[in-house]
Amino acid sequence: MPRASDRFVTPDTDGAARRIGDAVRSWLDALDPGQRVAAVYAFDASERFVWEYTPGPREGLPLADMTNAQRAAALTILDTSLSDRGAREVRAVIALEPILGDLERRAGRSNWMRRDPDRYWLAVFGEPGGGEPWSWRIGGHHVAIHLTCVDGRVVASAPSFLGANPATVPDGPFAGRRAIDGEEALARALLASLSPDQRTAAVVDPVAPPDIFSGHGRLADLHEVPHGIAYEVLEHAQRDRLEALIRHYLDRAGPDIADAEWARVRAAGLATVTFAWAGPEAPGRGHYYAIRGPRLLIEYDNTQNDANHIHAVWRDSTNDWGEDLLAAHYRASHRAG
């Protein structure tokens, strides 16, 4: 009987699932019993669908409560699951915390000490490896990364959120550094390539919203996410730019996983995918964009802290947390039973 994940003709992610499962098991084996209780949940726990990008505690085991060896094993999960660029960007976002804390301290903010690079939590849902569904996540301020495995394959890498505050470090030894950059640069390249008539369709509001619209619920809230100019009316080079922007988000995950996600996006159809921009086009001023498609949502916002604070998320409106392929897995298991 075909596996649930075979409903889509996608690159094979079995090898990625094995490598990630091995890395997760190695980390779990390094934990003591109390740490393991904090880190591991049943796959069907409602906690699996909880994610946030604001500061504050999460469920799971924080980096702060790990030994150096345990922390190294945890970061190996990150390196195994994500692309080189994706893993580097997560580390860079985490490294912004003390920089942000120093900026807030100098500005006289009383809660600056909460900015701590050890306040990132890992959690595992289910038993890694084998054929039963399982997943892992890392969460903390401006980081929410999830990977879900079903039938021995990675079937979802969404929701995937990264943010950066400051987007550009304003001063000090790291002045000018940006933790994430392609999300803005690639979107601006696409926007700059549009004709005046195309801009009329793409630019939906002269003022950018204060944050992303889709929220952080189990299901993305699409009600206020704008539509813009459609892929099907773009010229060939403009389509290439839009595809490159979409791939930039998907390519946070490892290559095999990102290729599988891209194949699912293409299979659902690119013609009706839209790109919408809000806010001025001039760099350094608050701006926002959204990309919407049959199974794709990308939102980017940089308006807070004088347009120096990025939120960037991608979601699969049908398969966040692998829900679509997981449902097919359970249907197939029911028929087999």
Side-chain angles (χ1 to χ4, degrees):
M1 176 177 293
R3 292 182 298 186
S5 51
D6 288 334
R7 294 194 305 139
F8 295 98
V9 180
T10 60
D12 194 345
T13 58
D14 291 59
R18 286 193 297 272
R19 292 191 298 273
I20 297 166
D22 289 344
V24 172
R25 284 194 300 271
S26 293
W27 175 64
L28 292 175
D29 289 344
L31 303 182
D32 65 38
Q35 290 173 312
R36 192 176 180 108
V37 167
V40 178
Y41 293 78
F43 183 76
D44 60 359
S46 60
E47 178 62 29
R48 184 165 67 90
F49 305 105
V50 176
W51 71 284
E52 299 179 71
Y53 52 86
T54 54
R58 310 291 197 263
E59 296 299 319
L61 185 66
L63 295 176
D65 291 350
M66 300 182 204
T67 66
N68 289 338
Q70 291 167 343
R71 187 175 309 192
L75 294 177
T76 297
I77 302 172
L78 200 69
D79 296 335
T80 307
S81 302
L82 304 185
S83 64
D84 290 344
R85 192 204 86 215
R88 184 171 64 250
E89 288 178 343
V90 171
R91 282 177 165 84
V93 169
I94 293 173
L96 284 176
E97 288 297 281
I99 294 172
L100 176 59
D102 183 60
L103 290 172
E104 292 179 335
R105 178 187 61 79
R106 287 188 278 150
R109 293 189 58 172
S110 61
N111 59 351
W112 62 271
M113 287 188 293
R114 65 179 174 159
R115 309 302 188 181
D116 186 343
D118 285 341
R119 289 174 61 82
Y120 289 83
W121 286 257
L122 273 76
V124 177
F125 300 87
E127 183 64 33
E132 290 303 308
W134 68 277
S135 67
W136 82 273
R137 77 172 184 214
I138 182 171
H141 185 213
H142 283 160
V143 174
I145 299 293
H146 307 73
L147 283 178
T148 305
C149 296
V150 176
D151 289 325
R153 290 188 179 185
V154 180
V155 298
S157 59
S160 174
F161 181 100
L162 288 180
N165 183 17
T168 303
V169 178
D171 55 30
F174 302 108
R177 179 174 295 185
R178 291 174 66 88
I180 57 175
D181 191 53
E183 290 82 355
E184 179 175 343
L186 291 169
R188 288 194 178 279
L190 172 59
L191 185 67
S193 75
L194 300 180
S195 69
D197 287 343
Q198 289 175 320
R199 276 189 173 86
T200 299
V203 180
V204 297
D205 197 318
V207 178
D211 202 351
I212 61 175
F213 288 113
S214 55
H216 55 87
R218 175 171 176 172
L219 299 177
D221 184 351
L222 303 179
H223 291 92
E224 295 187 70
V225 179
H227 294 279
I229 190 168
Y231 177 94
E232 63 185 351
V233 303
L234 296 176
E235 298 175 357
H236 179 75
Q238 294 167 335
R239 292 180 179 183
D240 288 345
R241 288 188 172 95
L242 179 53
E243 290 182 20
L245 178 56
I246 295 169
R247 283 300 308 247
H248 185 79
Y249 282 81
L250 306 187
D251 287 347
R252 289 173 182 170
D256 294 348
I257 302 165
D259 286 347
E261 297 284 14
W262 177 237
R264 285 191 280 270
V265 169
R266 287 181 60 87
L270 291 174
T272 60
V273 170
T274 60
F275 171 77
W277 179 277
E281 297 180 31
R285 302 180 66 186
H287 56 285
Y288 162 96
Y289 65 80
I291 301 171
R292 290 189 61 166
R295 61 180 306 145
L296 175 74
L297 171 65
I298 288 172
E299 279 195 288
Y300 171 99
D301 187 271
N302 187 353
T303 57
Q304 301 175 41
N305 300 93
D306 296 321
N308 197 30
H309 183 158
I310 291 170
H311 289 168
V313 65
W314 95 263
R315 303 190 65 165
D316 183 334
S317 55
T318 66
N319 196 49
D320 275 352
W321 290 283
E323 289 292 271
D324 186 29
L325 299 181
L326 183 62
H329 162 85
Y330 286 136
R331 288 193 297 269
S333 297
H334 180 74
R335 287 196 301 270

